[in-house]
């Protein structure tokens, strides 16, 4: 053992790993002139170097790293391994490329001063952490020196809108700095602060997708009048789950020492002061709180779990794979969503994907902090399936992504709602509030009674009229129509021109899958984008089957106006159960819709060439209606396919049950 600094000691030892008892198969895409896919087999590994072992946290953990870049050699062949392998000379350069890749990876992760940590817990609960929730509070920086930062050889510029990089020397006056926090694909930014000791005191909610992570802090300088930011320096803090349900945080300290903290329980605050990389470039103080660890068996440890429930979580899993439960997701609200429009407009909505099922919320106009309060149900899927969340803002031509996230749904307890804020990835700000609950199918069905979902049922919506609408045009009138959103489906009524009391008398049908039903009354414009003159949510889920409800519903978001509808949950009798009956085959119907859309596109191009703006507007409306018809046809086709497969399975089971002499072996004559 030899000392490093005054307090920490290390052990130096030789490391020599030489083995041919490996068979690692890699698939690589080859560029020209070879082209194609190569099967690369690594059949021997040789790594030789010197390790530094440093005990930390009074022996509760140990860091380890190589003193310098180790010697790496790999035995490589091509093919499927074993006797089918070809010599490495068949593709020269691949072996050296793999060695360089392995060496670069070791340099980035395991060569001084980069270190990994090995926990040495007194108790091993035999649980595998797969994710966690981390709160990071950036408190302050200190000892930032403009002259020292200016002495860097070069810095990186980040364009505030495009994130492009160039090299250029630092040209700073009075420091105005901000921090970018990075954890995996999550990035967040603080506000700009002035001076050599800026104080932020800003908290960020971050998500881990593994049992360990690297939290990186990048310091930037903002120069007045410049749209680009100067990258100055950075530092990082690593964290890891310990099998006794605790958490270790560690970082590189002054003179290559180790700064380490141990949080014995979830929810315990840890404060760390970490130097920025480089000589005399200042230091950063942060506060870290690991709120919750999530485990592969579906359980989780958090600050609000009582002693009795904690015992059950560490035992058997409450997760029911594939059967018996539904997942209810309520998209409550969004906070600090990204606004990409230059005029500050944002009409955000959320898409949820779980397995192959996708649902979406309504769009909330002109708000970076929208409130949806929309509830969706999914059949629970086993195997650790994530809920994929994507946030968009509606645009005229194509909607734009403003963040995404993954949510681990394992470990949900029946009767307990998990209320969480999910930070959005691949953007600099924004989070969504979700309420997640698991329900047994039988409990959910019985609570609905006769008002639950029915197989092969549909929603019949009659849009009759509206009255006392607001005037959207300068002439004191409107050209209203209704845009209906039902889950992922969209349909529109015809346009009624120059009236505040339109009458449509149109009937629309949707498959009854419990999706939210919203009506958006809009004013049609030939040249300008359509104007919203009110919307409303139609509550139909608790309606008795085959009973029509006649409603006048007030419009929201406007001073006046209401809409008259009739809605019925159509549930056919078993002997009268209809299926979608097309006069032509599905292939013919699909071709008909496709041909109509092609003809409409040709017509649209002609109208554009002739500057026929009114004709363009009508053609766009017809094209949108054709697109809705195509979506409806696909939904009906998928429904029929599912019903047909179910009926075939039922028929096969009936034949099998009715034929006791039927054997599963075949007799050969």
């Amino acid at each position: 053992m030899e000392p490093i600094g005054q307090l920490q000691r290390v052990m130096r030892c030789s490391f020599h790993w030489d083995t041919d008892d490996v068979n690692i198969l890699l698939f690589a895409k080859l560029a020209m002139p070879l082209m194609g896919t190569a099967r690369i087999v690594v059949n021997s590994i040789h790594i030789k170097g010197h390790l530094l072992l440093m005990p930390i946290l009074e022996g509760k953990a140990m860091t380890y790293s190589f003193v310098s870049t180790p010697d790496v050699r790999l035995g490589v062949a091509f093919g499927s391994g074993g006797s089918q392998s070809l010599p490495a000379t068949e593709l020269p350069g691949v072996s050296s490329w793999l060695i360089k890749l392995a060496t670069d990876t070791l340099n980035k992760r395991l060569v001084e001063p980069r270190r990994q940590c090995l926990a040495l817990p007194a108790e091993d609960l035999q649980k595998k952490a797969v994710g966690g929730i981390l709160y990071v509070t950036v408190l302050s920086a200190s000892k930032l020196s403009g002259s020292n930062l200016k002495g860097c050889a070069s810095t990186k510029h980040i364009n505030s809108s495009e994130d492009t990089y160039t090299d250029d020397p630092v040209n700073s006056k009075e420091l105005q700095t901000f921090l970018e926090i990075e954890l995996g694909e999550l990035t967040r930014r603080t506000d700009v602060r002035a001076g050599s000791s800026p104080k932020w005191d800003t908290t960020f909610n971050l998500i881990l997708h593994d049992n360990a992570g690297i939290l990186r802090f990048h310091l930037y300088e903002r120069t007045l009048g410049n749209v680009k930011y100067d990258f100055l320096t950075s530092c990082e803090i690593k964290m890891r789950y310990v099998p006794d349900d605790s958490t270790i945080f560690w970082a590189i300290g002054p003179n290559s020492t180790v700064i380490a903290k141990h949080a014995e329980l979830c929810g315990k605050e840890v404060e760390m002061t970490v130097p920025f990389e480089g000589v005399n470039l200042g230091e950063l103080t942060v506060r870290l709180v690991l709120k919750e660890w999530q485990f592969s068996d579906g359980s989780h440890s958090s600050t609000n779990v009582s002693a009795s429930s904690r015992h059950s979580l560490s035992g058997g899993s409450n997760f029911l794979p594939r059967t018996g439960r539904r997942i209810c997701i309520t998209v409550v609200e969004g906070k600090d969503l990204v606004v990409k429009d230059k005029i500050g407009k944002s009409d955000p909505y959320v898409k949820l994907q779980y397995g192959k099922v996708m649902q979406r919320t309504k769009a909330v106009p002109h708000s970076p902090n929208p409130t949806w309060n929309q509830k969706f149900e999914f059949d629970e899927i086993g195997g650790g399936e994530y809920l994929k969340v994507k946030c968009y803002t509606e645009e005229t031509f194509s909607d734009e992504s403003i963040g995404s996230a993954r949510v681990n749904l394992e470990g949900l307890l029946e009767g307990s709602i998990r209320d969480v804020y999910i930070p959005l990835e691949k953007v600099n700000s924004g989070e969504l509030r979700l309420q997640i609950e698991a329900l047994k199918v039988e409990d959910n069905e019985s609570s609905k009674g006769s008002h639950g979902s029915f197989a092969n049922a549909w929603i019949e919506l009659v849009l009759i009229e509206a009255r006392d609408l607001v005037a959207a045009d300068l002439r004191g009138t409107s050209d209203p129509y209704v845009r209906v959103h039902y889950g992922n489906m969209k349909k529109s009524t015809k346009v009624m021109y120059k009236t505040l009391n339109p009458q449509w008398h149109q009937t629309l049908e949707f498959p009854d899958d419990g999706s939210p039903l919203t009506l958006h009354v809009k004013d049609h414009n030939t040249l300008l984008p359509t104007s919203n003159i009110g919307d409303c949510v139609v509550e139909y889920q608790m309606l008795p089957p085959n009973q029509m409800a006649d409603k006048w519903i007030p419009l929201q978001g406007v001073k006046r106006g209401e809409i008259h509808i009739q809605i019925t949950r159509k549930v056919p009798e078993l002997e009268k159960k209809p299926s979608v009956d097309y006069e032509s085959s599905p292939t013919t119907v699909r071709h008909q819709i496709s041909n109509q859309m092609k003809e409409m596109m040709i017509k649209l191009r002609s109208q554009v060439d002739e500057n026929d703006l009114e004709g363009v507007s009508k053609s766009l409306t017809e094209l949108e209606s054709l697109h809705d018809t195509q979506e409806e046809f696909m939904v009906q086709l998928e429904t029929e396919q599912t019903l047909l497969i179910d009926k075939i399975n039922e028929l096969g089971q009936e034949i099998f049950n009715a034929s006791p002499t039927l054997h599963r072996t075949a007799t050969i004559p």
Side-chain angles (χ1 to χ4, degrees):
M1 300 279 287
E2 62 180 86
I4 287 186
Q6 296 181 351
L7 299 176
Q8 294 179 317
R9 301 176 68 86
V10 299
M11 175 183 290
R12 295 176 182 265
C13 61
S14 297
F15 179 88
H16 190 185
W17 183 28
D18 194 353
T19 179
D20 56 5
D21 188 20
V22 293
N23 192 7
I24 303 173
L25 181 61
L26 306 175
F27 291 89
K29 291 185 178 180
L30 303 178
M32 292 182 66
L34 300 174
M35 300 299 290
T37 302
R39 298 161 67 93
I40 304 172
V41 180
V42 179
N43 49 32
S44 66
I45 298 176
H46 170 88
I47 301 177
K48 185 176 182 180
H50 291 87
L51 282 177
L52 289 180
L53 306 179
M54 181 182 297
I56 59 174
L57 300 174
E58 300 177 348
K60 296 177 182 177
M62 178 177 62
T63 64
Y64 56 95
S65 60
F66 283 103
V67 177
S68 58
T69 302
D71 176 38
V72 178
R73 294 198 301 271
L74 302 175
V76 179
F78 299 94
S80 58
S83 60
Q84 300 180 8
S85 299
L86 302 175
T89 53
E90 293 291 326
L91 291 175
V94 173
S95 179
S96 58
W97 169 72
L98 280 176
I99 291 173
K100 183 179 184 304
L101 182 64
T103 303
D104 290 345
T105 302
L106 286 173
N107 279 329
K108 292 177 181 178
R109 297 177 57 88
L110 204 57
V111 176
E112 279 291 310
R114 310 292 182 187
R115 300 186 179 107
Q116 295 298 312
C117 183
L118 175 65
L120 304 171
E123 178 185 13
D124 190 346
L125 299 180
Q126 301 294 322
K127 292 195 292 186
K128 180 183 178 182
V130 295
I133 300 174
L134 176 70
Y135 283 12
V136 178
T137 302
V138 180
L139 296 175
S140 63
S142 60
K143 304 177 184 177
L144 301 183
S145 171
S147 59
N148 287 342
L149 293 170
K150 186 176 179 180
C152 298
S154 65
T155 62
K156 294 177 181 177
H157 284 320
I158 293 186
N159 188 303
S160 58
S161 59
E162 299 178 357
D163 287 352
T164 55
Y165 294 84
T166 59
D167 287 339
D168 200 21
V170 179
N171 183 17
S172 63
K173 297 179 182 178
E174 181 182 3
L175 279 177
Q176 294 214 356
T177 54
F178 68 90
L179 274 173
E180 182 180 73
I181 299 92
E182 176 188 337
L183 180 62
E185 293 186 347
L186 267 174
T187 58
R188 292 293 183 265
R189 291 184 183 179
T190 67
D191 295 331
V192 177
R193 293 288 186 269
S196 60
S197 299
K199 295 182 179 180
W200 291 283
D201 199 12
T202 305
T203 301
F204 301 96
N205 177 19
L206 305 177
I207 297 292
L208 274 167
H209 293 300
D210 203 346
N211 67 340
I214 302 176
L215 194 59
R216 294 184 172 91
F217 302 90
H218 306 292
L219 183 67
Y220 293 91
E221 179 189 13
R222 187 186 71 172
T223 304
L224 293 178
N226 193 344
V227 297
K228 297 183 178 181
Y229 303 131
D230 296 335
F231 172 79
L232 300 179
T233 182
S234 64
C235 63
E236 64 183 37
I237 297 175
K238 297 181 180 180
M239 67 204 75
R240 177 175 294 278
Y241 171 74
V242 182
D244 61 0
D245 262 5
S246 62
T247 308
I248 289 178
F249 303 90
W250 76 97
I252 302 170
N255 302 320
S256 296
T257 57
V258 175
I259 302 171
K261 297 285 185 177
H262 185 213
E264 293 83 0
L265 299 172
C266 287
K268 179 181 177 181
E269 291 185 352
V270 168
E271 188 171 308
M272 300 181 70
T273 299
V274 181
F276 285 110
E277 294 181 0
V279 181
N280 298 325
L281 296 186
E283 56 189 17
L284 176 69
T285 301
V286 298
R287 183 184 301 125
L288 309 171
V289 182
L290 201 295
K291 300 293 287 188
E292 175 182 296
W293 282 112
Q294 299 164 350
F295 304 106
S296 59
D297 66 352
S299 61
H300 61 95
S301 62
S302 62
T303 56
N304 57 357
V305 179
S306 63
S308 58
S309 61
R310 181 179 294 275
H311 177 74
S312 64
L313 287 177
S314 62
S317 172
N318 291 281
F319 173 67
L320 303 178
R322 297 191 178 279
T323 59
R325 303 206 302 184
R326 284 182 183 159
I327 304 297
C328 298
I329 311 288
T330 301
V331 183
V332 182
E333 60 183 340
K335 182 180 178 183
D336 298 328
L337 300 184
V338 170
V339 178
K340 292 197 173 183
D341 198 304
K342 292 182 179 179
I343 62 175
K345 175 187 174 184
S346 179
D347 302 333
Y349 66 91
V350 176
K351 282 186 178 181
L352 304 176
Q353 182 180 353
Y354 186 58
K356 296 183 179 180
V357 180
M358 182 175 291
Q359 311 228 40
R360 63 157 284 177
T361 68
K362 61 184 180 182
V364 177
H366 314 306
S367 176
N369 299 290
T371 298
W372 292 284
N373 282 322
Q374 287 186 247
K375 188 174 184 179
F376 306 93
E377 286 191 6
F378 303 89
D379 291 327
E380 189 175 49
I381 301 174
E385 182 74 18
Y386 278 95
L387 172 72
K388 299 178 180 66
V389 183
K390 297 182 179 180
C391 196
Y392 295 89
T393 178
E394 284 192 340
E395 300 291 343
T396 304
F397 297 104
S398 63
D399 297 347
E400 191 167 1
S401 174
I402 54 174
S404 61
R406 293 180 299 160
V407 183
N408 185 0
L409 297 182
E410 295 180 321
L412 294 175
L413 302 177
E414 294 167 15
S416 176
I417 297 177
R418 183 182 293 182
D419 196 324
V420 293
Y421 280 89
I422 306 297
L424 296 175
E425 300 177 354
K426 302 180 181 178
V427 287
N428 293 322
S429 68
E431 56 186 7
L432 299 176
R433 182 186 175 193
L434 304 181
Q435 291 179 345
I436 307 170
E437 183 181 11
L439 299 174
K440 281 188 177 180
V441 172
E442 55 268 25
D443 292 345
N444 192 35
E445 299 268 330
S446 62
S447 65
K448 290 182 179 179
S450 62
H451 310 311
S453 298
F454 297 88
N456 203 29
W458 72 94
I459 301 296
E460 182 183 86
L461 173 67
V462 183
L463 295 157
I464 302 174
E465 60 184 325
R467 65 189 179 195
D468 198 24
L469 298 179
V470 297
D473 299 337
L474 295 177
R475 60 181 182 268
T477 184
S478 294
D479 302 327
Y481 69 97
V482 182
R483 184 71 166 158
V484 182
H485 290 197
Y486 183 78
N488 293 327
M489 301 177 66
K490 298 179 182 179
K491 296 185 179 183
S492 297
T493 67
K494 58 190 175 184
V495 179
M496 305 304 295
Y497 293 95
K498 299 180 181 180
T499 178
L500 301 180
N501 300 286
Q503 294 185 358
W504 297 286
H505 295 286
Q506 281 187 250
T507 300
L508 304 176
E509 293 183 350
F510 305 92
D512 186 2
D513 58 8
S515 295
L517 176 60
T518 57
L519 310 180
H520 301 269
V521 184
K522 296 181 176 291
D523 173 61
H524 175 76
N525 285 305
T526 303
L527 300 177
L528 301 175
T530 58
S531 303
N532 186 50
I533 51 178
D535 53 64
C536 64
V537 177
V538 181
E539 300 290 349
Y540 69 92
Q541 288 86 349
M542 299 303 293
L543 291 177
N546 297 322
Q547 293 188 23
M548 185 266 291
D550 191 296
K551 299 181 179 182
W552 278 95
I553 305 176
L555 297 176
Q556 304 297 317
V558 288
K559 294 181 179 179
R560 63 179 185 273
E562 51 186 347
I563 187 169
H564 184 198
I565 68 162
Q566 292 176 346
I567 187 167
T568 310
R569 301 184 69 191
K570 293 285 188 176
V571 181
E573 299 295 332
L574 292 178
E575 62 271 18
K576 298 179 181 179
K577 182 182 290 185
S579 62
V580 180
D581 184 18
Y582 294 100
E583 295 180 359
S584 305
S585 67
T587 303
T588 304
V589 174
R590 186 171 66 250
H591 285 311
Q592 288 175 351
I593 296 174
S594 177
N595 290 335
Q596 290 177 19
M597 294 183 76
K598 290 178 181 178
E599 292 173 1
M600 189 59 61
M601 289 299 298
I602 295 172
K603 180 180 177 182
L604 184 62
R605 292 192 190 100
S606 175
Q607 290 168 337
V608 171
D609 293 339
E610 297 172 0
N611 289 327
D612 183 3
L613 298 180
E614 185 174 354
V616 168
S617 176
K618 291 181 179 179
S619 296
L620 287 174
T621 302
E622 293 176 13
L623 191 63
E624 192 173 19
S625 178
L626 275 174
H627 184 265
D628 292 340
T629 303
Q630 187 181 41
E631 286 186 349
E632 182 181 4
F633 169 71
M634 294 304 298
V635 170
Q636 291 173 337
L637 202 61
E638 291 176 1
T639 303
E640 280 200 336
Q641 181 183 17
T642 302
L643 292 172
L644 181 60
I645 293 173
D646 291 343
K647 184 60 67 178
I648 291 173
N649 291 335
E650 292 175 6
L651 184 60
Q653 190 63 40
E654 289 178 6
I655 294 174
F656 184 82
N657 294 337
S659 305
T661 59
L662 187 64
H663 298 285
R664 299 193 180 190
T665 58
T667 303
I668 301 176

